[in-house]
């Protein structure tokens, strides 16, 4: 009897889950084989080994966890003791053996120099590279102090005599070669699940913790051409989920059995816009995005509509008041997306 009751309960839960899956709204992560989001802080920097640092005040047992400022005598080395105390030590106060430990930490974290004409030599680790256009790349990077940055970069090498007033950062040929090598390595990323949030609150929290933007894709009904195309895209490019999840967290929206997106979706997306950009007291999505959310756009089998929400820290340094919400279209060819993961930018430019 107990086994029968357990079987009936399991079936009831399964049927309940299937019924919920047909409801309109945001997809569950499990529908795409993704786990529930881990909202712990990601560790982009690997701490160094605990060792003895010879400071002017005396020796101390600690590990290097970050480096602030340009590498050299003006830099500040962030150390953390075994008891959790963190202190900043000027590099000029360190002995040769300690400086060697800093260099080893930089090597262990795979930091390299980007040679730019606007910012000088920038020490960073490249997380991802996106092909925005025939003349521009977007470089997503982490610096030794742990900050995430997103830089548009020219696709052609620049020279010190050239002047640039446009937005992309001019770089040297050596840096371009490094970026193109990273583009090749992206295709060798192991398969990984897509980062999927199940609510706007979860998406906003994940974006804040990871320094990412939020992409909302409207996939019409489950089983629609848009739904099949997006799922086929993830299978066609095994590295796509890992590549995209380095930069974005996704909300995947479906229509309900009545053929419409939930009426609450517009309100939820406005709340998401405000949570990501609380400085904006009058958070408003543009009209195209509102029409999508309110389900006024008819289903088009050749297009996946989307909205790209960019938190303020994600905005570029040289745009004092950037637009933070973009509508984006992904075009289809048959039941496939007409682009590759490297070129899927969600109107990032």
């Amino acid at each position: 009897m107990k086994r029968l009751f357990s079987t009936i309960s399991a079936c009831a839960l399964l049927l309940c889950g299937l019924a919920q899956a047909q409801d309109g709204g945001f997809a569950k992560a499990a529908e795409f084989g993704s786990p529930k989001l881990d909202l712990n802080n990601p560790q982009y920097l690997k701490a160094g080994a605990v060792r003895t640092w010879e400071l002017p005040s005396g020796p101390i047992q600690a590990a290097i966890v970050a480096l602030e400022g340009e590498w050299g005598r003006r830099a500040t080395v962030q150390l953390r003791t075994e008891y959790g105390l963190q202190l900043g030590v000027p590099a000029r106060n360190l002995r040769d053996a300690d400086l060697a430990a800093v260099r080893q930490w930089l090597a262990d974290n795979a930091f390299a120099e980007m040679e730019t004409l606007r910012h000088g030599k920038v020490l960073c680790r490249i997380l991802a590279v996106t092909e925005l256009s025939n003349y521009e790349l977007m470089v997503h990077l982490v610096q030794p102090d742990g900050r995430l940055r997103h830089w548009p970069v020219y696709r052609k090498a620049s020279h010190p005599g050239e002047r640039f007033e446009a937005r992309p950062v001019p770089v040297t040929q050596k840096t371009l070669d490094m970026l193109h090598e990273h583009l090749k390595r992206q295709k060798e990323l192991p398969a990984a699940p897509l980062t999927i949030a199940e609510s706007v609150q979860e998406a906003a929290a994940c974006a804040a913790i990871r320094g990412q933007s939020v992409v909302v894709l409207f996939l019409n009904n489950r089983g629609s051409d848009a739904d099949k195309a997006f799922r086929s895209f993830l299978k066609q490019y095994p590295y796509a989920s890992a590549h995209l999840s380095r930069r974005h967290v996704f909300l995947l929206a479906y229509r309900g059995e009545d053929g419409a997106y939930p009426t609450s979706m517009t309100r939820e997306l406005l709340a998401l816009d405000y949570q990501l950009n609380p400085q904006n007291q009058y958070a408003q999505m543009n009209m195209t995005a509102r029409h999508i959310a309110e389900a006024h756009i008819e289903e088009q089998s050749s297009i996946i509509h989307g909205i790209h929400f960019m938190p303020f820290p994600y905005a570029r340094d040289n745009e004092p008041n950037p637009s933070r919400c973009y509508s984006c279209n992904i075009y289809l060819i048959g039941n496939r997306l007409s682009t590759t993961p490297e070129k899927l930018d969600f109107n990032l430019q």
Side-chain angles (χ1 to χ4, degrees), residues 286 289 306-310 316 319 322-328 346-349:
N286 60 45
I307 312 176
H308 189 180
F309 294 93
M310 295 176 64
R316 302 169 193 83
E319 291 187 6
S323 174
R324 298 165 191 158
C325 173
Y326 303 85
S327 59
C328 55
F346 306 108
N347 201 20
L348 187 60
Q349 68 270 30

Side-chain angles (χ1 to χ4, degrees), residues 220-237:
N220 294 316
N221 297 92
R222 289 175 174 83
S224 67
D225 289 343
D227 184 32
K228 291 178 180 177
F230 187 64
R231 292 173 185 270
S232 175
F233 171 80
L234 297 178
K235 292 180 180 178
Q236 181 183 2
Y237 300 100

Side-chain angles (χ1 to χ4, degrees), residues 259-337:
Y261 294 108
T263 56
S264 61
M265 190 167 286
T266 301
R267 183 175 65 254
E268 291 180 271
L269 294 179
L270 283 169
L272 173 63
D273 192 19
Y274 183 78
Q275 289 176 46
L276 294 177
N277 301 293
Q279 305 94 325
N280 183 6
Q281 297 181 9
Y282 304 98
Q284 290 185 346
M285 295 181 292
N286 60 45
M287 288 305 295
T288 302
R290 291 184 67 91
H291 284 321
I292 294 172
E294 293 170 359
H296 295 321
I297 285 186
E298 296 295 328
E299 178 177 351
Q300 299 182 45
S301 59
S302 61
I303 296 176
I304 294 178
H305 298 289
I307 312 176
H308 189 180
F309 294 93
M310 295 176 64
F312 182 73
Y314 194 95
R316 302 169 193 83
D317 298 335
N318 58 338
E319 291 187 6
N321 187 26
S323 174
R324 298 165 191 158
C325 173
Y326 303 85
S327 59
C328 55
N329 292 326
I330 307 172
Y331 295 93
L332 311 180
I333 299 177
N335 63 346
R336 298 290 179 93
L337 271 62

Side-chain angles (χ1 to χ4, degrees), residues 130-133 138 213 215 244 247-248 308 310 314 328-330 339-349:
T130 306
E131 298 178 286
L132 295 185
S133 66
M138 179 67 77
S213 60
V215 175
L244 297 174
R247 299 176 285 123
H248 314 294
H308 189 180
M310 295 176 64
Y314 194 95
C328 55
N329 292 326
I330 307 172
T339 188
T340 61
E342 294 82 13
K343 295 184 178 180
L344 193 55
D345 58 31
F346 306 108
N347 201 20
L348 187 60
Q349 68 270 30

